[in-house]
Amino acid sequence: MIESINPYNLEVVEKFKELTKKQIDDALDCADKRFQSWKKVSFEEKAKLMRKASQELKENKQEYAKDISLEMGKPIKQAIAEIEKCAWVCEYYAENAEKHLAPKTIKTDAHKSYVSYEPIGVVLAVMPWNYPFWQVFRFAAPALMAGNIGVLKHASSVMKSANNIQKVFERAGFPDGCFQNLVLGSSKIEDIIRDSRIKAVTLTGSKPAGGAVASVAGEEIKKSVLELGGSNALVVFKDANIDETVKTCVQARFQNTGQSCIAGKRLLLHESLAEEFTEKFVKQVRELKSGDPLDEDTFIGTLARVNLAEDLEKQINESVEMGAEVLLGGKRSDAYLEPTVLGNVTPEMPVFLEETFGPAIGITTFKEDREAIDLVNMSRFGLGVSIFTEDLDFAESIVPEFEDGAVFVNELVKSDPRLPFGGTKISGYGRELSEDGIKEFVNKKTVYFNKY
Ligand SMILES: NC(=O)c1ccc[n+]([C@@H]2O[C@H](COP(=O)([O-])OP(=O)(O)OC[C@H]3O[C@@H](n4cnc5c(N)ncnc54)[C@H](O)[C@@H]3O)[C@@H](O)[C@H]2O)c1
Ligand SMILES: O=CCCC(=O)O
């Protein structure tokens, strides 16, 4: 059985029976058969269904959000915002997919030559628990609009949300088999990737999971997209607007109780403003309200599982043993970890070197701009970086210096359906969202006409 456990009170939310071999086979058959008809459906018809999915999400956001909060401890207001963002991505692709995938004429010596973007078939999505709806919708909306079929292997701890996502597409009127949730543990993934009915795989999650999935896909010569972890830096240069930057950095680190791949996890402060900034930052973090995720006023919930809070506590304790100073928090109770701020953090410490997936941040100071850039690039991760300065020309001049998939100036790194999203280095490869995202799982077919 697969279990969802409420991390706030440790009660079982629901149990789910894993699919049998025969049920998996039937689901893949259904998906494969559906592809034969779905690939011929017009953009207009697909867009109509995708807009219905958006409507369904908006009309029932409370119901879906409550299950997210119960399964992984996300504060309810943030869970509702997640559902609203899913509605947005559905609308975005309903509106733009046809434009993104319009054939592209290329002038050559041919009578006519162009590239057409065609669906490839059934795509497996292996997804994490931190944004149980959003991670899936940002794959599913473009995939379905491109004419592909989606099968989902979600994190075991959010299986109710996974079933709810299938329900959204069913309620919207998508034909059977367009999108199915497979109730499975990760040990079954290898066989599914190797199945000839699966044409490609996308994984959002950790490096070990990404490596395991990509190796199998590689052996089978199947396309993969990996959206993995991050350890984004928040770099505050000496001329930054301190009050605005403090607010943005608190959001960047502590929203979703710190469980976001693109959260700002390393705070790099110019030494000239470090004292004032740290004082204001710690004050605002202290004011964040922890509590029951179902309470509208709660901003910090629990982590999604007790072991995740234990892992983070260990990273904090080891960093403290190496010389970091606890400026706030640091204590854990079951899946709850106090919002934590550490000072005197150096690059050898776990909170700098590793990804910290929860409400904790380490502060490191720098003297020279070059030193800040080097500290950012020192990370093995490369998802994104936020830089804060009033001098936009300076900001623009250093953008090429960063090795990350995204640079945000005076803003936290965030995902937006209109912009490509993805990383470099061990944060993965490929892009989601925007035109780049929808073009990951299509056959870019070269068409060439000669005329005798
Ligand atoms: N880049 C992004 O967009 C992004 C977004 C969210 C989370 N993440 C990352 O995800 C991690 C947290 O999520 P998580 O704990 O659910 O990650 P995880 O890697 O443990 O799990 C992600 C998914 O992969 C599956 N999985 C795990 N091990 C596997 C294996 N060996 N073979 C096949 N499948 C396997 C899981 O069952 C789950 O469905 C963090 O590192 C975070 O940064 C990245
Ligand atoms: O966890 C990573 C993705 C979060 C987001 O897209 O906002």
Side-chain angles (χ1 to χ4, degrees):
M1 296 296 271
I2 287 176
E3 280 186 349
S4 273
I5 295 176
N6 181 342
Y8 182 65
N9 55 22
L10 306 184
E11 285 170 11
V12 175
V13 178
E14 201 166 319
K15 293 186 181 191
F16 306 86
K17 215 165 166 233
E18 247 195 291
L19 297 184
T20 61
K21 226 174 162 203
K22 163 88 174 61
Q23 285 170 319
I24 298 170
D25 190 53
D26 288 348
L28 296 186
D29 231 26
C30 170
D32 190 41
K33 289 209 175 81
R34 175 56 60 201
F35 176 60
Q36 301 314 320
S37 54
W38 184 246
K39 67 182 178 188
K40 297 183 190 138
V41 173
S42 68
F43 280 107
E44 194 186 350
E45 183 58 27
K46 287 183 288 199
K48 217 185 278 171
L49 292 168
M50 199 52 80
R51 287 197 178 95
K52 286 204 181 131
S54 167
Q55 201 180 330
E56 164 64 24
L57 287 162
K58 286 193 267 191
E59 282 171 7
N60 294 299
K61 61 186 173 191
Q62 295 285 350
E63 169 195 336
Y64 296 131
K66 187 172 174 198
D67 284 337
I68 291 178
S69 296
L70 290 175
E71 286 194 300
M72 52 75 68
K74 192 190 302 270
I76 188 75
K77 263 190 166 164
Q78 295 170 44
I80 290 170
E82 178 175 340
I83 303 294
E84 287 167 347
K85 194 163 175 180
C86 295
W88 180 22
V89 81
C90 291
E91 279 157 28
Y92 172 81
Y93 279 109
E95 189 62 35
N96 292 293
E98 185 169 10
K99 228 177 335 183
H100 290 334
L101 298 179
K104 189 166 83 184
T105 299
I106 298 176
K107 268 200 168 309
T108 63
D109 46 2
H111 168 64
K112 176 160 92 170
S113 49
Y114 60 93
V115 181
S116 83
Y117 301 96
E118 299 177 10
I120 55 172
V122 186
V123 183
L124 171 67
V126 183
M127 291 290 152
W129 45 264
N130 66 335
Y131 288 87
F133 263 59
W134 169 243
Q135 302 289 7
V136 177
F137 272 89
R138 73 177 176 187
F139 152 73
L144 292 170
M145 284 305 300
N148 291 317
I149 295 294
V151 288
L152 170 65
K153 189 337 246 161
H154 217 323
S156 304
S157 54
V158 291
M159 212 37 94
K160 189 162 187 204
S161 294
N163 282 336
N164 284 346
I165 294 168
Q166 180 174 326
K167 194 155 68 177
V168 170
F169 288 113
E170 285 166 359
R171 285 178 171 176
F174 279 80
D176 277 358
C178 270
F179 184 91
Q180 296 176 84
N181 174 42
L182 306 179
V183 181
L184 291 175
S186 51
S187 62
K188 306 287 184 340
I189 293 179
E190 176 169 348
D191 287 349
I192 295 179
I193 297 171
R194 292 195 193 279
D195 191 293
S196 61
R197 291 164 291 191
I198 295 291
K199 304 299 181 216
V201 57
T202 182
L203 178 138
T204 300
S206 60
K207 178 176 178 282
V213 161
S215 324
V216 179
E219 274 180 35
E220 296 293 328
I221 322 294
K222 292 183 183 178
K223 171 87 185 263
S224 60
V225 165
L226 299 181
E227 296 289 358
L228 309 178
S231 186
N232 290 6
L234 302 160
V235 190
V236 187
F237 288 101
K238 57 177 175 285
D239 66 337
N241 176 326
I242 294 187
D243 290 337
E244 290 301 325
T245 305
V246 166
K247 266 192 262 168
T248 305
C249 290
V250 171
Q251 281 294 322
R253 171 66 282 201
F254 293 96
Q255 65 174 346
N256 209 37
T257 314
Q259 301 165 110
S260 170
C261 54
I262 46 172
K265 294 168 184 155
R266 298 177 294 143
L267 183 52
L268 310 183
L269 302 180
H270 189 268
E271 61 174 10
S272 64
L273 50 64
E275 195 179 329
E276 180 185 352
F277 191 101
T278 302
E279 195 180 303
K280 290 183 168 170
F281 185 78
V282 169
K283 180 170 180 292
Q284 281 197 24
V285 177
R286 187 178 285 116
E287 285 163 5
L288 298 175
K289 190 174 174 314
S290 297
D292 183 346
L294 290 179
D295 185 338
E296 293 256 321
D297 295 334
T298 296
F299 185 79
I300 299 285
T302 59
L303 277 85
R305 297 190 307 263
V306 175
N307 69 311
L308 297 166
E310 286 169 347
D311 291 347
L312 182 56
E313 184 186 35
K314 188 162 171 263
Q315 289 171 307
I316 292 169
N317 289 343
E318 282 177 14
S319 300
V320 172
E321 276 162 29
M322 291 169 78
E325 183 190 355
V326 180
L327 302 175
L328 186 73
K331 299 266 177 333
R332 180 185 67 82
S333 164
D334 294 330
Y336 173 71
L337 190 117
E338 290 174 345
T340 299
V341 183
L342 299 182
N344 292 338
V345 168
T346 54
E348 315 73 54
M349 296 179 185
V351 295
F352 188 102
L353 266 185
E354 300 167 6
E355 181 180 33
T356 49
F357 218 60
I361 191 162
I363 299 178
T364 307
T365 55
F366 63 89
K367 286 188 177 62
E368 305 294 336
D369 297 343
R370 181 74 248 165
E371 192 188 345
I373 295 165
D374 291 343
L375 283 165
V376 172
N377 288 338
M378 205 175 270
S379 175
R380 296 194 305 150
F381 296 96
L383 217 40
V385 56
S386 289
I387 58 179
F388 298 88
T389 169
E390 295 282 73
D391 184 347
L392 299 190
D393 291 334
F394 163 70
E396 197 141 24
S397 74
I398 61 170
V399 167
E401 302 268 359
F402 296 106
E403 297 165 352
D404 300 74
V407 178
F408 279 60
V409 180
N410 296 323
E411 183 56 290
L412 50 87
V413 177
K414 57 187 178 184
S415 55
D416 179 320
R418 298 162 294 189
L419 291 169
F421 181 95
T424 60
K425 303 198 270 186
I426 63 165
S427 292
Y429 51 75
R431 291 294 179 265
E432 292 194 286
L433 301 175
S434 75
E435 183 173 335
D436 295 81
I438 198 169
K439 283 186 167 158
E440 287 286 3
F441 295 118
V442 289
N443 175 13
K444 295 172 181 148
K445 188 182 277 178
T446 299
V447 184
Y448 188 104
F449 285 76
N450 197 12
K451 202 173 159 193
Y452 292 118

